[in-house]
Amino acid sequence: MANVVLEFKVSAGDSEPQSRPVLITGQHNNLQQVSWSQIKGKLQPVVSKEIWQAALSALNPNPTDSCPLYLNYATVAAIPSRVSRHNSPSSAHFVSRLVRSCLPGGNNRCIVMVCERSDVFASSCAMARAFPIFSRRSASSLLLIICLSNAADGVRLSARIVDTPCNEMNTDHFLDEIRAVGNELGITPVIIRGEELKQKGFGGIYGVGKAAEHPPALAVLSHTPDGATQTIAWVGKGIVYDTGGLSIKGKTTMPGMKRDCGGAAAILGAFKATIKQGFKDNLHAVFCLAENSVGPTATRPDDIHTLYSGKSVEINNTDAEGRLVLADGVVYASKDLAADIILDMATLTGAQGISTGKYHAAVMTNSEQWEAAVVRAGRNSGDLAHPLVYCPELHFSEFISAVADMKNSVADRENAQSSCAGLFIASHLGFDWPGVWVHVDIASPVHAGERATGFGVALLMALFGQASDDSMLNQVSPLGATTNVSEDHMERDCKRRRLV
């Protein structure tokens, strides 16, 4: 999988299955609309029109089904024609599964995806998820447009970083990944590192990462085009490994914690793909990098840290570290980057999987309109999302401290844990902050079994696609120019003006 190259084309072309094995997939009703003349170039001479029609008749997807057309060289597979309102119309998760299980072997293979135009982006990203890059085992070509190739590259970059263990992806290595993307885009990153973090007041990032061999860092990639009308910041949690700190994880819960950098990895992949497609507004990618390690200088429960917001935090759980680094990151985005819209993405809470499951990210925001937009972007991209409760007046009291402005972990772990974790981040901006704040918890969907999924890349590209120069991203974006609102309302809500 590591050296598979993905190529996208708008037409199937001609190739004989024995020289180029083929998987033909799509919703059953769409497959039935494909004429023999459109598909025969991929199947003849070993598959006849009669065999093709018989295979289509035999398919009975529940939720999926497949039928071999010729030995191990040609297969047709059907995904569900109908899905629930909380799923993507593209059936993206089923696309990934069928590609993994049904794609014939070989070095030069073809997947023919039969879908509606509105599902092209989500289907392409789903296919990319089936081909993770990272591998240390000792010891292909999909055929459509630059946008799809860039999106696929972003998904696979993110997945590779998340799959890579910490001995090969510590904070030094992650910074190298950021520099490499910056170099490709002609952007020099801003990096604040080690003791400089402490001197500048980043008590969250510094406190989490100070015990590790490789120092913590805040890194920023900035795209500032002429004519930009608003400033967007994506803030990613990049905990390259999470032992839990002195509140240490157990032997069954620590394995897999290399994935705790999934939010930062998704933002790096999405930023690279988004800027390559052209982006009209200011866009900053902020990476909060640290290894939550154990050592003589590790943060202790009862320690008090002052974060970049100026607020003091009593540490009652060193394993609730992601919110500390993100609090510094979002405040930096507001104070130093003057962001109008701040989105943070993180593998923040194990409770996310309980709240919204393995396939849907959990979204929380101070804007009801943006909540709906993220959910819609999830359905359009295949990176599904579902809302968490946003109710600071009921939940933020969980963080009350007798000696500091707040604690970093809740008093009652049975009271909306994932929501409370997000509220901790928002509290450092201030609940009356006038801009748009969006929090996306991707703890469960960041991986499927043992492999990373690259989750979040497609979601970000779709959510902010209206500001892209690419027509396909414009199409899948739920955001657009507001209409039918008063001038007074537009002035009050100018920072949310791109919502439908």
Side-chain angles (χ1 to χ4, degrees):
M1 295 294 186
N3 54 3
V4 171
V5 177
L6 304 181
E7 298 177 6
F8 293 89
K9 296 183 180 179
V10 294
S11 60
D14 294 344
S15 59
E16 195 269 324
Q18 287 176 295
S19 61
R20 191 169 198 188
V22 61
L23 168 65
I24 302 168
T25 187
Q27 294 179 357
H28 195 204
N29 57 322
N30 287 336
L31 290 171
Q32 291 176 320
Q33 294 179 44
V34 176
S35 67
W36 174 245
S37 61
Q38 290 174 304
I39 202 66
K40 65 180 182 180
K42 284 293 180 192
L43 300 174
Q44 287 183 331
V46 294
V47 178
S48 66
K49 180 179 180 180
E50 291 72 25
I51 293 175
W52 167 251
Q53 292 176 335
L56 292 182
S57 299
L59 289 174
N60 184 26
N62 185 28
T64 63
D65 195 14
S66 63
C67 181
L69 297 169
Y70 179 73
L71 301 176
N72 294 326
Y73 296 106
T75 300
V76 60
I79 58 177
S81 295
R82 297 179 62 186
V83 294
S84 66
R85 70 181 188 277
H86 290 151
N87 200 352
S88 170
S90 66
S91 295
H93 286 87
F94 294 109
V95 172
S96 298
R97 290 182 191 177
L98 284 177
V99 171
R100 292 190 192 104
S101 61
C102 298
L103 182 63
N107 295 322
N108 187 22
R109 300 168 289 174
C110 177
I111 299 174
V112 177
M113 185 74 216
V114 183
C115 66
E116 303 290 339
R117 181 173 180 80
S118 58
D119 295 333
V120 168
F121 180 74
S123 299
S124 301
C125 291
M127 286 186 272
R129 294 185 197 103
F131 298 98
I133 297 175
F134 177 80
S135 177
R136 285 295 177 266
R137 290 187 175 184
S138 46
S140 341
S141 299
L142 264 173
L143 301 179
L144 210 119
I145 316 182
I146 294 175
C147 174
L148 301 183
S149 297
N150 286 335
D153 287 346
V155 169
R156 299 178 82 199
L157 168 62
S158 173
R160 175 176 61 78
I161 291 172
V162 174
D163 271 338
T164 306
C166 187
N167 64 320
E168 299 181 32
M169 190 55 67
N170 56 45
T171 54
D172 293 343
H173 297 128
F174 207 119
L175 286 172
D176 288 341
E177 298 284 351
I178 292 169
R179 292 187 187 98
V181 169
N183 185 58
E184 189 171 344
L185 300 176
I187 299 172
T188 301
V190 173
I191 298 174
I192 305 170
R193 189 148 205 223
E195 291 300 314
E196 188 181 1
L197 288 168
K198 181 180 180 181
Q199 295 164 8
K200 293 193 172 182
F202 293 94
I205 300 174
Y206 179 78
V208 170
K210 63 180 179 174
E213 176 186 359
H214 303 278
L218 181 137
V220 186
L221 290 171
S222 296
H223 168 74
T224 54
D226 294 337
T229 58
Q230 62 182 353
T231 299
I232 300 159
W234 296 343
V235 182
K237 173 188 171 184
I239 303 298
V240 294
Y241 200 82
D242 183 16
T243 66
L246 292 180
S247 305
I248 198 162
K249 296 178 183 291
K251 65 179 182 180
T252 59
T253 54
M254 197 184 298
M257 283 299 105
K258 65 179 182 178
R259 304 186 190 110
D260 217 14
C261 62
I267 284 173
L268 184 61
F271 184 86
K272 177 181 177 181
T274 296
I275 302 309
K276 278 193 165 187
Q277 290 308 117
F279 198 76
K280 301 169 185 174
D281 285 328
N282 296 325
L283 180 62
H284 303 280
V286 181
F287 306 94
C288 306
L289 306 178
E291 180 181 347
N292 190 17
S293 192
V294 175
T297 61
T299 291
R300 298 165 288 263
D302 294 338
D303 283 358
I304 295 175
H305 293 313
T306 300
L307 274 55
Y308 197 58
S309 63
K311 296 181 179 180
S312 59
V313 179
E314 177 188 1
I315 307 300
N316 61 333
N317 180 5
T318 64
D319 196 21
E321 83 298 330
R323 63 199 68 181
L324 297 170
V325 303
L326 286 174
D328 277 354
V330 299
V331 173
Y332 178 86
S334 174
K335 287 170 58 174
D336 293 65
L337 303 177
D340 306 309
I341 300 167
I342 298 174
L343 180 147
D344 71 75
M345 182 170 283
T347 50
L348 199 65
T349 63
Q352 176 273 311
I354 299 170
S355 299
T356 60
K358 294 181 178 180
Y359 306 107
H360 293 70
V363 59
M364 166 184 271
T365 170
N366 61 356
S367 166
E368 184 177 5
Q369 292 175 302
W370 275 79
E371 177 184 283
V374 176
V375 171
R376 185 175 165 195
R379 296 180 71 242
N380 290 350
S381 68
D383 280 353
L384 299 169
H386 196 75
L388 290 173
V389 174
Y390 177 81
C391 197
E393 65 273 22
L394 292 181
H395 292 145
F396 192 67
S397 58
E398 291 290 342
F399 296 104
I400 289 176
S401 168
V403 294
D405 292 326
M406 66 191 76
K407 293 183 178 180
N408 76 314
S409 189
V410 294
D412 183 356
R413 295 178 67 83
E414 296 184 359
N415 187 15
Q417 275 193 66
S418 294
S419 291
C420 289
L423 290 176
F424 179 94
I425 300 165
S427 72
H428 289 266
L429 284 171
F431 294 121
D432 58 351
W433 186 63
V436 174
W437 167 74
V438 181
H439 165 66
V440 185
D441 191 339
I442 63 171
S444 287
V446 77
H447 71 105
E450 294 291 314
R451 298 309 298 250
T453 59
F455 189 98
V457 174
L459 178 65
L460 290 171
M461 293 183 71
L463 179 60
F464 292 91
Q466 189 61 35
S468 174
D469 292 335
D470 186 85
S471 60
M472 178 171 290
L473 294 179
N474 296 162
Q475 180 184 358
V476 298
S477 176
L479 307 179
T482 50
T483 56
N484 300 322
V485 292
S486 68
E487 289 184 5
D488 288 343
H489 178 77
M490 289 185 69
E491 183 176 349
R492 287 197 311 272
D493 207 24
C494 62
K495 292 177 180 177
R496 307 177 191 192
R497 64 185 174 278
R498 291 194 181 279
L499 291 162
V500 175

